[in-house]
């Protein structure tokens, strides 16, 4: 091969051919061209644009007022290329998708065992804000993607006071998105006025010793964290950072330790789409997380992060269009990590 390369310097056409052959070997693991990726996004956008199923979440009053027509798709590859279709400017509140990143922050500060020991890493079989699920095992044997585990994870973030903890959480989310993020104050206020159930959950987690101190402060920070405002590109970049071993492919910053990423993805695979997590994994194989603001992120490890925003939700609480669009795009682009070709 070397001799061939050397001699091909005298024959430019042969050199071009050799470079082409080497390049296609190098990309054989995930050989999707920009045209294929753009076509997949565009096809999913068009196919589900007219879909009328689902409804905005309304148990947080401000969410009912969000424009149901927002529909944006973004995919960011692990080599930092950004593909978008539809409305990627409009922002929604991140809601439960934030639970993934606060869990990752706790792992970063205390190690992955801290999560497993405190709230567990198992599916509850109950809705995301279930009090029965807390009672069943006294606040253990659940996970950081349901409210009791998530509020507990927020309570585990270190800091001398509320401001220090909050600023750390906000900056951490921004590092994954690759830009400074802000809070949708209307959503924060609306949820803070109506989150008595989450306050009760935090008191129970405190009673069972999972939250060590100040449960209502943890609920308040958690509520603010859920109100962080994001567009589809922000979410896709956050997902792509997980797909890229914790290094943001857009900024080049190593945001979290690579060694903790598999555990983050495992919890997403177990409990990312509420009661439909099993159905989702069965259909796509992708670790993912949805939020009641209408966003879903999904991670194809080593390949890409993808996000879709569309507020109308199905009965399980997952965006109807986002599920369909992500599943379809990932199938076309071979994003399922369980897919392997026999050697
Ligand atoms: N802030 C919301 C709550 O606690 C998040 C719910 C969600 O997105 O699943 O109810």
């Amino acid at each position: 091969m070397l001799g061939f390369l050397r001699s091909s310097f005298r024959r430019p056409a042969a050199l071009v051919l050799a470079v082409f052959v080497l390049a296609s070997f190098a990309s054989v693991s995930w050989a999707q061209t920009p045209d294929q990726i753009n076509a997949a996004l565009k096809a999913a956008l068009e196919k589900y644009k007219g879909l009328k199923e689902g409804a905005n979440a309304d148990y947080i009053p401000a969410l009912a007022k969000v424009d149901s027509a927002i529909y944006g798709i973004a995919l960011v590859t692990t080599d930092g290329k950004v593909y978008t279709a539809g409305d990627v400017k409009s922002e929604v509140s991140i809601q439960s998708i934030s639970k993934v990143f606060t869990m990752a922050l706790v792992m970063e500060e205390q190690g992955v065992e801290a999560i497993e020991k405190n709230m567990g890493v198992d599916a509850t079989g109950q809705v995301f804000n279930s009090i029965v699920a807390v009672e069943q095992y006294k606040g253990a044997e659940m996970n950081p993607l349901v409210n009791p585990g998530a509020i507990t994870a927020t309570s585990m973030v270190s800091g001398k006071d509320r401001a220090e903890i909050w600023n750390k959480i906000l900056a951490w989310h921004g590092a994954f998105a690759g830009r400074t993020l802000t809070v949708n104050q209307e959503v924060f206020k609306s949820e803070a006025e109506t989150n008595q159930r989450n306050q009760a959950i935090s008191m129970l987690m405190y009673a069972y010793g999972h939250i060590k101190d100040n449960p209502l402060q943890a609920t308040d920070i958690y509520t603010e964290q859920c109100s962080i405002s994001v567009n589809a590109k922000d979410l896709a970049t956050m997902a792509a950072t997980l797909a890229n071993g914790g290094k943001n492919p857009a900024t080049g910053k190593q945001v979290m330790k690579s060694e903790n990423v598999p555990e983050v993805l495992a919890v997403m695979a177990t409990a990312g789409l509420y009661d439909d997590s099993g159905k989702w994994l069965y259909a796509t194989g992708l670790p993912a997380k949805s939020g009641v603001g209408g966003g879903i992120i999904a991670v194809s490890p080593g390949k890409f992060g993808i996000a879709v925003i569309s507020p109308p939700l199905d009965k399980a609480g997952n965006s109807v269009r986002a599920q369909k669009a992500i599943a379809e795009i990932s199938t076309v682009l071979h994003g399922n990590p369980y897919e392997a070709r026999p050697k």
Side-chain angles (χ1 to χ4, degrees):
M1 179 60 105
L2 278 179
F4 169 71
L5 272 182
R6 229 175 279 123
S7 65
S8 45
F9 279 110
R10 290 188 293 273
R11 285 179 288 157
L15 178 65
V16 169
L17 181 70
V19 169
F20 179 77
V21 169
L22 283 176
S24 52
F25 273 123
S27 63
V28 83
S29 58
W30 193 57
Q32 302 299 319
T33 65
D35 283 353
Q36 285 171 313
I37 299 174
N38 277 320
L41 264 58
K42 198 160 172 267
L45 184 79
E46 293 305 322
K47 186 164 174 188
Y48 301 117
K49 220 185 216 162
L51 203 70
K52 291 278 177 282
E53 286 166 41
N56 284 26
D58 58 5
Y59 76 101
I60 300 170
L63 297 186
K65 293 196 275 171
V66 176
D67 181 1
S68 306
I70 296 170
Y71 181 27
I73 306 177
L75 183 150
V76 178
T77 59
T78 49
D79 55 5
K81 299 205 175 62
V82 180
Y83 301 85
T84 64
D87 179 357
V88 285
K89 291 238 162 65
S90 292
E91 297 185 5
V92 297
S93 52
I94 190 169
Q95 295 299 337
S96 270
I97 299 170
S98 68
K99 293 168 176 171
V100 170
F101 300 94
T102 300
M103 159 177 70
L105 176 54
V106 174
M107 289 175 174
E108 191 80 1
E109 289 193 338
Q110 302 185 32
V112 293
E113 318 72 37
I115 291 289
E116 192 178 358
K117 273 196 203 131
N118 197 353
M119 69 287 277
V121 290
D122 276 306
T124 63
Q126 305 284 345
V127 292
F128 70 97
N129 60 359
S130 169
I131 288 174
V132 171
V134 179
E135 287 301 311
Q136 198 175 7
Y137 299 109
K138 296 191 165 47
E141 298 288 331
M142 51 173 75
N143 66 75
L145 301 184
V146 290
N147 287 11
I151 299 169
T152 302
T154 299
S155 81
M156 293 166 79
V157 175
S158 69
K160 66 175 185 321
D161 54 23
R162 190 199 186 286
E164 190 175 305
I165 298 165
W166 166 247
N167 288 332
K168 188 194 284 182
I169 290 174
L170 183 63
W172 178 255
H173 282 73
F176 280 89
R179 72 173 180 112
T180 303
L181 297 174
T182 56
V183 167
N184 180 325
Q185 293 298 338
E186 192 195 344
V187 171
F188 180 33
K189 185 166 179 287
S190 177
E191 186 169 354
E193 285 168 359
T194 53
N195 70 351
Q196 290 77 15
R197 188 182 178 94
N198 282 343
Q199 293 179 40
I201 285 172
S202 74
M203 290 303 274
L204 269 180
M205 291 303 274
Y206 179 50
Y208 287 131
H210 299 280
I211 294 180
K212 301 287 176 235
D213 197 13
N214 226 340
L216 296 181
Q217 174 178 290
T219 309
D220 194 48
I221 299 175
Y222 160 83
T223 306
E224 190 163 10
Q225 160 201 313
C226 288
S227 310
I228 293 173
S229 195
V230 285
N231 60 38
K233 192 180 149 208
D234 295 327
L235 289 177
T237 309
M238 295 171 92
T241 302
L242 295 173
N244 192 37
K247 183 174 179 176
N248 186 320
T251 64
K253 185 178 173 205
Q254 187 73 44
V255 180
M256 67 175 288
K257 293 187 191 106
S258 295
E259 70 208 54
N260 293 345
V261 172
E263 283 83 352
V264 170
L265 298 182
V267 181
M268 291 169 75
T270 303
L273 264 75
Y274 308 111
D275 290 348
D276 281 349
S277 299
K279 290 190 198 90
W280 171 261
L281 197 65
Y282 193 76
T284 67
L286 298 178
K289 183 72 197 94
S290 66
V292 293
I296 299 185
I297 62 169
V299 177
S300 181
K303 296 175 182 167
F304 60 82
I306 183 169
V308 175
I309 290 177
S310 168
L313 311 177
D314 65 13
K315 286 206 173 61
N318 299 308
S319 165
V320 180
R321 284 195 191 114
Q323 288 176 85
K324 289 184 187 292
I326 294 174
E328 183 144 320
I329 292 166
S330 177
T331 301
V332 172
L333 299 180
H334 301 282
N336 189 331
Y338 299 136
E339 194 181 304
R341 295 209 192 107
K343 288 240 179 338

